[in-house]
Amino acid sequence: MFHVRRALRTLLTPLVAGLALITLPATAAHAASTLTNGGFEADGAGTATPADWSEYGDTGASYTESGGHSGSYRLTQWSSSAYKVETYQYLSGLADGNYRLTAWVRSSGGQKSAYMALRNCGGSEQRTDLPVSTSGWIRIVVPVAVTNNQCTISINSDANAGNWINVDDLTFTSGTSGLTIKGADISSLAKSEALGGVYRSGSGATGDAPAILKSAGMNYARLKVWVNPADGYNNRTRVLAMAKRIKAQGMRLLVDFHYSDTWADPGTQTKPAAWAGHSYSRLKTDVYNHTYDVLNALKAQGTTADMVQIGNEINGGILWSEGSTDHWSQLAGLLNSGYTAAKAVSSSTVVALHLAKGGDKSGTEWWFDNAVANGVKFDAIGLSYYGYWHGPLSDFQSTIDDAASRYGKPVFVAETAYPFRLDSKDALTNQIDTTGELVNGYPATTAGQAAWLRDVLNIVEAVPNGRGLGVFYWEATWTAVTGNGWDPTDPSSGNGWENQALFDYDNKATPAMNWFSHR
């Protein structure tokens, strides 16, 4: 628990709990052209109103205390009863232009809202919600365009009794942020539709799934490609057809090569049957030819891939055993065959390498250090991050930040997801189906799913030096449709993932989809 129940709070007279916070007047208590006391170090612990800051609402619920992110102290908002409070600093005399507020935060979760905001800056208010993190600090950013020479920096809680936030090390500097990728994997869609799958907007209107996703703000789609899958889906022909629909919506395309006839992931990298028994030298040719063939066919029909993954979740390598991480020089040769083929089709296509375990900083370093040492070529780094498997959000931020800086490459989340309920719609038990498997502070509800996607987006946006590209949600359209199960060799196999799709059990878009419109 990150608050101290101090006697001082009993001496402070808060305003009525639940009082609505309002837009601040231009004549706030503090006015300067730079943010001051952003580390809350000026007063020590027990200060109700930190130096250079002002407060509004239930002021007894906001105070400084020991335990800062980098220094000795931090700002905490907490009360034993429900409260609504704002701690703010008004800046004037600013040069118009783009600015970024950066802050390190922790939060218990459970609030009606807890966020950082930039307001009265000349345009619409910009805000970033605080992710739930009860131990590790998480860095968030809020960008804004100042057009009237002033701006108010605002820290807000509308909280239930016992909810708390910690905030520290705020900076307000020139710069901007945002995400170029707001995407989803929709590899399941063609088969779903062929078997009767239906998709509806949030209002319940039946429609075209890519159009529904696009209208919610999605600008990128991801499609996996298998070599010769048993069910005839997710192969070259199907990818070409779906690519036309994606591009027709004005969206960009990521092609995810599995180099297998079925799922490839950290535990399985099985060669396609047609490549079984091939020598390492022949496998390099297989990778080049297959990659070139698919991408060149996409280009020929006017749907050039914007990004390509050379392998899927390749922590253990590809095309086992020749391309496993037990044989790094051979793995490097295979990956470079894919890279070369992709660039031969389109030099502007971004070539990414994709690992799972997005909270594993040391494992990610080990893999990419070896890749670099062996001359592997790549343009971007993709990580899968599922919080119920891969550790807390703070570990994810450490991993993705480190990857961006250590290798000087842009980074993105190739896969993330979260359940909006726990029960199954088909006969197969869901991958996540008990409360004990959930991430603390994120319930298996539509609101919990939305908060998860929001907070992952926020962390990627905060990657330093603008290297956070964005997020792909996995697997947005994989609803429970008989015959569209996980096993391409078994039409009766169930899904196991329908409770994490972006369409609910009535086939309606879940609220999480609206986060595709994230700035």
Side-chain angles (χ1 to χ4, degrees), residues 367-450:
W367 198 97
F368 277 100
D369 282 356
N370 276 285
V372 170
N374 283 275
V376 177
K377 301 174 183 177
F378 60 99
D379 304 324
I381 293 171
L383 296 174
S384 293
Y385 175 60
Y386 298 99
Y388 38 71
W389 292 329
H390 298 156
L393 286 163
S394 54
D395 285 356
F396 163 57
Q397 182 168 71
S398 295
T399 303
I400 199 167
D401 285 359
D402 178 71
S405 62
R406 189 177 183 90
Y407 307 106
K409 302 290 186 180
V411 294
F412 65 98
V413 173
E415 299 181 17
T416 193
Y418 205 77
F420 59 84
R421 58 193 294 169
L422 294 174
D423 60 312
S424 298
K425 193 178 182 183
D426 61 20
L428 183 65
T429 300
N430 289 331
Q431 288 281 322
I432 302 298
D433 71 330
T434 67
T435 55
E437 295 172 296
L438 299 175
V439 179
N440 180 49
Y442 297 88
T445 62
T446 56
Q449 182 192 56

Side-chain angles (χ1 to χ4, degrees), residues 235-494:
N235 61 10
R236 175 185 183 274
T237 300
R238 302 285 186 176
V239 167
L240 288 169
M242 188 58 69
K244 288 183 178 179
R245 293 174 62 185
I246 290 166
K247 293 284 189 169
Q249 291 294 332
M251 295 188 290
R252 286 171 285 179
L253 172 65
L254 165 58
V255 178
D256 173 18
F257 285 93
H258 282 230
Y259 300 113
S260 181
D261 293 334
T262 188
W263 303 98
D265 55 42
T268 308
Q269 294 283 339
T270 304
K271 295 187 192 78
W275 303 0
H278 287 188
S279 66
Y280 165 65
S281 178
R282 178 72 181 277
L283 287 171
K284 285 199 295 183
T285 302
D286 291 333
V287 169
Y288 183 96
N289 288 344
H290 173 60
T291 306
Y292 185 92
D293 179 53
V294 173
L295 296 180
N296 194 51
L298 285 165
K299 181 181 178 180
Q301 71 172 13
T303 60
T304 300
D306 300 280
M307 186 184 290
V308 171
Q309 284 179 217
I310 305 301
N312 185 78
E313 294 189 330
I314 57 176
N315 302 60
I318 63 174
L319 297 169
W320 290 347
S321 61
E322 287 81 357
S324 81
T325 50
D326 292 333
H327 309 287
W328 259 105
S329 63
Q330 293 188 172
L331 172 57
L334 293 168
L335 294 174
N336 282 340
S337 285
Y339 179 95
T340 302
K343 293 298 187 178
V345 174
S346 170
S347 61
S348 63
T349 294
V350 176
V351 179
L353 298 177
H354 168 212
L355 300 187
K357 303 181 181 179
D360 181 5
K361 179 174 174 284
S362 63
T364 301
E365 286 183 351
W366 174 86
W367 198 97
F368 277 100
D369 282 356
N370 276 285
V372 170
N374 283 275
V376 177
K377 301 174 183 177
F378 60 99
D379 304 324
I381 293 171
L383 296 174
S384 293
Y385 175 60
Y386 298 99
Y388 38 71
W389 292 329
H390 298 156
L393 286 163
S394 54
D395 285 356
F396 163 57
Q397 182 168 71
S398 295
T399 303
I400 199 167
D401 285 359
D402 178 71
S405 62
R406 189 177 183 90
Y407 307 106
K409 302 290 186 180
V411 294
F412 65 98
V413 173
E415 299 181 17
T416 193
Y418 205 77
F420 59 84
R421 58 193 294 169
L422 294 174
D423 60 312
S424 298
K425 193 178 182 183
D426 61 20
L428 183 65
T429 300
N430 289 331
Q431 288 281 322
I432 302 298
D433 71 330
T434 67
T435 55
E437 295 172 296
L438 299 175
V439 179
N440 180 49
Y442 297 88
T445 62
T446 56
Q449 182 192 56
W452 179 258
L453 179 55
R454 176 198 72 199
D455 292 346
V456 172
L457 286 161
N458 287 343
I459 288 174
V460 177
E461 185 181 16
V463 173
N465 300 311
R467 290 194 174 120
L469 293 177
V471 173
F472 289 93
Y473 192 91
W474 198 92
E475 220 268 20
T477 56
W478 202 9
T479 54
V481 175
T482 301
N484 194 19
W486 68 271
D487 186 352
T489 69
D490 181 6
S492 67
S493 65

Side-chain angles (χ1 to χ4, degrees), residues 8-79:
L8 171 63
R9 188 166 305 105
T10 64
L11 302 176
L12 300 174
T13 305
L15 299 178
V16 176
L19 182 65
L21 304 185
I22 60 173
T23 302
L24 299 171
T27 55
H30 175 77
S33 60
T34 56
L35 173 68
T36 53
N37 195 24
F40 303 100
E41 299 295 311
D43 310 289
T47 301
T49 304
D52 301 321
W53 293 85
S54 302
E55 292 183 342
Y56 184 81
D58 297 323
T59 57
S62 182
Y63 51 91
T64 59
E65 62 179 358
S66 298
H69 165 255
S70 63
S72 299
Y73 306 103
R74 67 189 180 219
L75 179 76
T76 289
Q77 293 182 347
W78 175 88
S79 178

Side-chain angles (χ1 to χ4, degrees), residues 128-332:
T128 299
D129 295 270
L130 274 60
V132 179
S133 179
T134 58
S135 54
W137 290 88
I138 293 175
R139 185 185 60 256
I140 61 173
V141 299
V142 193
V144 74
V146 173
T147 60
N148 62 352
N149 306 117
Q150 64 182 18
C151 198
T152 299
I153 296 166
S154 177
I155 304 165
N156 296 264
S157 292
D158 182 357
N160 299 302
N163 297 157
W164 55 268
I165 67 170
N166 299 151
V167 180
D168 202 5
D169 292 341
L170 285 82
T171 62
F172 185 73
T173 58
S174 296
T176 187
S177 68
L179 296 173
T180 59
I181 294 174
K182 281 87 72 173
D185 193 302
I186 58 172
S187 299
S188 63
L189 180 59
K191 188 173 182 180
S192 174
E193 291 174 331
L195 296 171
V198 174
Y199 298 88
R200 297 185 171 92
S201 67
S203 65
T206 301
D208 176 65
I212 293 170
L213 290 158
K214 173 65 183 301
S215 67
M218 192 175 93
N219 64 3
Y220 228 119
R222 178 178 185 251
L223 298 175
K224 70 172 174 276
V225 58
W226 290 333
V227 177
N228 187 25
D231 63 358
Y233 286 89
N234 300 299
N235 61 10
R236 175 185 183 274
T237 300
R238 302 285 186 176
V239 167
L240 288 169
M242 188 58 69
K244 288 183 178 179
R245 293 174 62 185
I246 290 166
K247 293 284 189 169
Q249 291 294 332
M251 295 188 290
R252 286 171 285 179
L253 172 65
L254 165 58
V255 178
D256 173 18
F257 285 93
H258 282 230
Y259 300 113
S260 181
D261 293 334
T262 188
W263 303 98
D265 55 42
T268 308
Q269 294 283 339
T270 304
K271 295 187 192 78
W275 303 0
H278 287 188
S279 66
Y280 165 65
S281 178
R282 178 72 181 277
L283 287 171
K284 285 199 295 183
T285 302
D286 291 333
V287 169
Y288 183 96
N289 288 344
H290 173 60
T291 306
Y292 185 92
D293 179 53
V294 173
L295 296 180
N296 194 51
L298 285 165
K299 181 181 178 180
Q301 71 172 13
T303 60
T304 300
D306 300 280
M307 186 184 290
V308 171
Q309 284 179 217
I310 305 301
N312 185 78
E313 294 189 330
I314 57 176
N315 302 60
I318 63 174
L319 297 169
W320 290 347
S321 61
E322 287 81 357
S324 81
T325 50
D326 292 333
H327 309 287
W328 259 105
S329 63
Q330 293 188 172
L331 172 57

